Amino acid sequence: MSTQRILHVDMDAFYASVAELDHPELRGKPVVVGAGIRGVVLSANYAARKYGIRAAMPVGRAQRMAPQAVFVAPEHGRYAEISERVMKIFSDFTPLVEPLSLDEAFLDVTGAQRLLGSAREIAEKIRARVSSEEGITCSVGIAPNKFLAKLASQHCKPNGLLEIQEDRIIEFLHPLPESAMWGVGPKTNENLAIVTGK
């Protein structure tokens, strides 16, 4: 029986990438998606993240951190439109697509490998199509399960690909901090630090 191969495909700074796609003059500038001084940041491109700006941060705080950044209002209809097309690309490779949000999904490509090549080859084809057809980039993690695939995609952002083989799992996980684990937020991380004595 073939080893399960799961892809976690995650669009890079999706909302901000769409803003740059629709407004090419923004490329190379720090871009933050979020409306109103009392609103929250929905997305920030990598240029804006260098200033410490993150999703869910108050827009007012982000403006103080990077007054030179370009702040754009969200366009939810546009995100949904592009997301639908991206998910269609995924379904061209496997019917086993599990969307997590507009900009990320798990794909089980275990069976698809017989026809379409290795999981890595499938991931490369998906990345190429998303780039050529939609003009945005994505990062892909490949692993035997969802948990590891999501960790892998986060580890290779932006615009990367990382495959974790079965015999390299411990090697990959060992140096990671507890906060890198999917689902471990600040409070859980505090509790784990108490337990582990770190």
Side-chain angles (χ1 to χ4, degrees), residues 9 12 52 72 78 92 104-105 113 127 130 134-135 148 157 162 167 191 194:
V9 187
D12 298 316
V72 298
R78 180 75 169 128
D92 286 346
E104 61 178 321
Q113 294 179 103
R127 280 165 34 81
V130 169
E134 299 303 328
L148 289 169
K157 282 187 156 294
L162 178 62
D167 60 350
N191 293 335
I194 292 168

Side-chain angles (χ1 to χ4, degrees), residues 7-37:
L7 309 186
H8 178 254
V9 187
D10 196 359
M11 302 300 112
D12 298 316
F14 181 54
Y15 298 167
S17 294
V18 172
E20 290 182 48
L21 181 69
D22 292 345
H23 304 280
E25 69 276 10
L26 297 180
R27 292 189 186 279
K29 298 178 182 178
V31 177
V32 180
V33 178
I37 193 79

Side-chain angles (χ1 to χ4, degrees), residues 11 75 87 134 155 184:
M11 302 300 112
E75 297 185 48
M87 295 297 168
E134 299 303 328
H155 207 68
V184 175

